Structure formats: C-alpha cells, structure tokens
Amino acid sequence: AQQATYDRLCLLHDYLWLTPDWATNLQSFEAKHPWSVLSFPQQRSDGGRFWYDWSGFEKSQEIYNRKFYTYTDWSHNNDTYISGNIFCVHRQFLLEYPLDEKLVHMQQEDLEWSRRVSPFTHFKCAYNSLVCHQKEHRDQHFFIQLDTSDKHNE
C-alpha cells in the first residue's frame, strides 16, 4: 500500500478471474455506494456460490462456522468476514489498518483483519461485480507444506 499509485487497491489471488463487466459494474456500484472496504460475490468453478464469499462468523468461532448473507445485506458489520481471496480497500485505510504480515495463507489473516477493522469501517459487497474461481482449490492447502528453513537465505 505504501508504494501504490492509486487510492483504490484490489488484492486478489491469481486463481481468480474477473468477469468482462466486472470493472464497469464496479464503477456503477461506486457511484451509488461509498465504501472503504469492499467484498465481491465469488463463483466456484462448478458455478455455485463460493463457500465464504460474503458471510459472517460467530465472534467466538472460527471462520468455518459461517453464515451466508445476501449480497445486498450490509447490516452485519460487526461479524462480517472479508475474504482474503479478493477485496478492495482504499489505500489510506490499508495504511492505517494493515494486514498482519506475520500471518500467512490459511492462518486466517483475513478473518483476523475483518474482526480488527470492523469497528472502523462499514463493509459492503459489490453485488454486481462477479469474481470466478478458475479451479477448485479448497482442500489443496492441506497438501502444501511451508518450508521454514533458512536454506533459501544462504
């Protein structure tokens, strides 16, 4: 965020693709709805709704005890989960409330951030800007091992 040129930043994984009308729909959405943090509907590779695209969590629970919201329901700010798959944020907001860089993929860095920033913003979902997953990857993280040795720094 410190080196970003523009005010609006979109962070997303490389296994996602944006529908052809994604940007146009986002501009239309922005004209009607001011935002600081923005989420998006996510479609699985089989066409279904992604399992945690616009959802909430019980404050005392893990992300996996989630509840789905309709994309136009923005009334659950204190328990809304912003998926780390993709979200947009204003540069200044991210500078003031950065992601915890000590947490890595699958350590729920997005859940931690959602909980931490919810008192300072109002989350919204750009319901007309669909994001699609190129492949199913939900269980792949169980097979990835992180090399924590220092051999790469020698």
Side-chain angles (χ1 to χ4, degrees), residues 11-30:
L11 291 76
L12 68 148
H13 285 291
D14 62 356
Y15 51 74
L16 301 175
W17 61 272
L18 310 176
T19 56
D21 57 354
W22 183 87
T24 303
N25 288 344
L26 180 57
Q27 288 176 332
S28 173
F29 179 89
E30 288 180 312

Side-chain angles (χ1 to χ4, degrees), residues 26 28-36 38 74 124-127:
L26 180 57
S28 173
F29 179 89
E30 288 180 312
K32 299 173 191 167
H33 308 286
W35 59 273
S36 293
L38 197 56
W74 305 330
K124 292 185 179 168
C125 182
Y127 49 82

